[in-house]
Amino acid sequence: MSSHLALTGRPLCSPRCVSLDEAARWLYTDAPFGLLAHGTGPDPTYFYANRTAQQRFGYSWEEFTDMPSRLSASSQRQDDRDAFVRSVHEHGFADGYTGLRRTKNGEEFWIKDVTMWDLFEPAGTSRGQAAVFRDWSPPVQPS
């Protein structure tokens, strides 16, 4: 939440969240958007996916947090996804992205109105990147 606020100037959590515990619960269970986060390294793995993201992609918590984030997009969509991830890394965050992603069963769907940002610990150590997708469209036929 602090990285999002510092980079975008906007809070991630609902204003009614008054404690960190309450914010964490709201983001995981009640947020009306998908929230994902992956770590650092050459092939980063997700370490967080809220319930909205789990439902939309069709993966359980255990499946999500054992999956390289690149697998959220089909091999035909990797160039687009990789360019977006690089842009975020270069600028700290990006808003307004739309891209095709893939569910567990292979159906593609559009994620829309995406904000992605770099995650930093208070000491400045990079922890990876997080993304919020606020809209999505029904699945389309895989290409």
Side-chain angles (χ1 to χ4, degrees):
M1 291 185 305
S2 61
S3 294
H4 183 272
L5 181 61
L7 290 165
T8 69
R10 298 182 310 265
L12 182 60
C13 192
S14 166
R16 63 182 172 217
C17 297
V18 294
S19 71
L20 284 178
D21 286 343
E22 187 176 349
R25 186 203 57 74
W26 183 84
L27 287 169
Y28 184 75
T29 61
D30 299 326
F33 49 77
L35 175 60
L36 302 163
H38 67 224
T40 60
D43 194 15
T45 301
Y46 286 116
F47 63 83
Y48 184 87
N50 72 355
R51 285 192 182 156
T52 300
Q54 291 173 45
Q55 291 167 351
R56 183 64 217 122
F57 281 87
Y59 290 103
S60 68
W61 173 265
E62 292 77 16
E63 291 168 321
F64 241 127
T65 57
D66 192 38
M67 182 173 86
S69 61
R70 66 179 160 77
L71 297 180
S72 66
S74 69
S75 58
Q76 298 94 327
R77 310 291 181 208
Q78 286 301 308
D79 288 344
D80 175 63
R81 181 196 168 277
D82 293 347
F84 181 58
V85 169
R86 274 192 310 277
S87 173
V88 170
H89 186 66
E90 291 167 7
H91 304 288
F93 82 100
D95 270 328
Y97 173 78
T98 297
L100 278 171
R101 292 298 180 267
R102 181 176 60 184
T103 66
K104 179 179 175 179
N105 66 10
E107 293 177 317
E108 286 188 325
F109 66 98
W110 291 100
I111 56 171
K112 302 173 183 177
D113 193 17
V114 177
T115 299
M116 189 171 186
W117 66 99
D118 287 331
L119 295 172
F120 292 99
E121 292 181 358
T125 305
S126 176
R127 295 278 293 137
Q129 294 177 319
V132 166
F133 58 96
R134 293 172 190 83
D135 193 12
W136 54 90
S137 65
V140 295
Q141 292 299 318
S143 52

